[in-house]
Amino acid sequence: MALPRSISPILGGMRIMAVFAHPDDEIGCIGTLAKHAARGDEVMLVWTTLGELASQFGDASHEEVTRVRREHGAWVAQTIGAQYHFFDMGDSRMTGGRAEALQLARLYATFRPNAVITWSDDHPHPDHRMTAKIAFDAITLARIPKIVNEQGGGQAMPPAPDLGSAEGIESGEDVRRLDALREPVRFYQYYAPASPYPEVIVDVSETIEAGAEVMGYYHDFYKWTWTKDQYREGRAAIGRMAGPGVKYAEHFTLRVSHLPARAYLD
């Protein structure tokens, strides 16, 4: 079966949330996010940790790490036309537990995404696996009013630290009640060969340079040996797999039993 070459457009626009563990994890989907933002869709980048164990921080204080990461998040978000938010769940300390998922569920109920992109379930890094787990679990938690509004009974939820780019519960406001997110949420994950779910390939030829710019930004911070040319070649390899006319692409799975019916075979 031929692989689909793009995410189908949604009438009235989409709200897409990309949920990852560490700043730079989003490079695998940055072209897709930039393409949707350019179309007029709302995009939010979310990181569950500050990536504070990166050796580049040395002995910097937590406050300094937070300041630098907010600069990173703001720059990447501005580059692709997105909002951003950091949680502080602890680099390499995530558990994948309910408390973490509930934090994310409240952000879901605030932003109300139609689609989520995150890590695969089988990545070697535990933070990546735990982020994928809570990103999926949070969809169910966000559907239940009594859960997403825990600590209710007329009491305001405690304010969260201002680590985001948008006003709302996660920017420190006291919020007395959230509306549960009952609408369907499509759940995309980075492609993994062992995944049982259908594959989706997105043509990012139009936004490959935005992706290369973000990759270069992190390259300069982390001092990677990985280059922009290697980044482009990786996307070109996926494009060749997608078929003629696709110069650069990104690769996901969609967490459903099967893809929607189509009118004709490709």
Side-chain angles (χ1 to χ4, degrees):
M1 181 179 71
L3 297 177
R5 294 182 186 170
S6 67
I7 297 173
S8 299
I10 301 297
L11 293 176
M14 289 178 66
R15 290 180 301 278
I16 302 174
M17 184 181 288
V19 182
F20 293 104
H22 316 103
D24 80 15
D25 290 352
E26 72 278 10
I27 288 174
C29 67
I30 203 73
T32 298
L33 298 179
K35 188 173 184 179
H36 275 276
R39 191 178 73 168
D41 296 331
E42 292 184 62
V43 176
M44 178 178 279
L45 279 160
V46 177
W47 296 279
T48 56
T49 83
L50 299 170
E52 65 269 21
L53 297 186
S55 59
Q56 287 75 13
F57 287 117
D59 295 326
S61 68
H62 195 73
E63 290 74 19
E64 176 63 10
V65 171
T66 300
R67 184 193 66 77
V68 172
R69 286 309 198 191
R70 289 201 66 189
E71 289 181 356
H72 291 174
W75 187 91
V76 174
Q78 183 177 21
T79 298
I80 67 168
Q83 302 175 46
Y84 74 95
H85 181 81
F86 281 101
F87 291 103
D88 190 3
M89 297 181 186
D91 191 356
S92 298
R93 296 175 177 86
M94 290 186 65
T95 66
R98 184 179 183 279
E100 294 169 350
L102 181 54
Q103 291 182 64
L104 188 56
R106 288 175 173 161
L107 191 58
Y108 283 1
T110 304
F111 183 71
R112 311 189 75 77
N114 306 115
V116 169
I117 304 174
T118 190
W119 274 106
S120 63
D121 296 324
D122 62 350
H123 193 276
H125 197 302
D127 278 355
H128 296 180
R129 296 196 308 274
M130 295 304 100
T131 295
K133 180 181 183 299
I134 69 167
F136 188 67
D137 291 349
I139 294 174
T140 297
L141 297 184
R143 292 178 59 82
I144 304 171
K146 288 183 179 180
I147 290 179
V148 81
N149 288 292
E150 281 185 7
Q151 301 181 36
Q155 298 298 314
M157 288 186 231
D162 182 2
L163 297 177
S165 59
E167 293 183 356
I169 180 174
E170 299 299 341
S171 65
E173 283 189 22
D174 289 344
V175 175
R176 294 191 178 278
R177 186 164 183 83
L178 289 167
D179 291 330
L181 177 61
R182 295 290 181 87
E183 294 80 14
V185 178
R186 292 177 297 287
F187 195 77
Y188 293 92
Q189 296 179 269
Y190 281 162
Y191 172 74
S195 173
Y197 301 112
E199 299 174 44
V200 175
I201 289 181
V202 179
D203 184 344
V204 297
S205 302
E206 301 169 18
T207 52
I208 187 65
E209 290 311 313
E213 188 176 0
V214 171
M215 182 270 170
Y217 181 78
Y218 285 121
H219 172 277
D220 293 344
F221 177 74
Y222 290 112
K223 309 304 180 186
W224 287 333
T225 57
W226 184 37
T227 67
K228 284 187 179 181
D229 286 343
Q230 290 171 317
Y231 165 83
R232 293 188 188 92
E233 176 50 38
R235 275 49 187 176
I238 301 171
R240 289 191 293 272
M241 184 172 59
V246 182
K247 188 172 182 181
Y248 299 105
E250 292 173 344
H251 202 180
F252 309 96
T253 59
L254 176 60
R255 197 155 176 164
V256 294
S257 298
H258 53 78
L259 292 171
R262 60 185 69 190
Y264 299 94
L265 295 176
D266 286 341

